[in-house]
Amino acid sequence: RMLVLTRKVGEELCIGDDIRIVVLSQQGNKIRFGVTAPQEVSVHRREIYDKILEDKKNKEKDNE
């Protein structure tokens, strides 16, 4: 399921009570976001998150 929204620069999205995503700027097809979240919540770009999961999976394999 996906919620699709349109936002302008300066507008925000809220996820729960603790996470805010702000549209900072748009230049052509590039959009800059700012994310505010509690310190215990990890925030990563998707490609970084996938790499973290892959490294974790490989580490678990090595420990078997």
Side-chain angles (χ1 to χ4, degrees), residues 16-31:
D17 294 331
D18 297 339
I19 301 172
R20 293 183 322 142
I21 302 170
V22 182
V23 181
L24 298 175
S25 66
Q26 177 185 2
Q27 295 178 354
N29 65 350
K30 292 187 178 182
I31 300 171

Side-chain angles (χ1 to χ4, degrees), residues 36-52:
T36 303
Q39 190 170 3
E40 63 270 10
V41 175
S42 297
V43 179
H44 303 284
R45 296 186 324 243
R46 181 59 194 228
E47 62 273 17
I48 300 299
Y49 182 72
D50 289 344
K51 178 76 169 116
I52 291 168

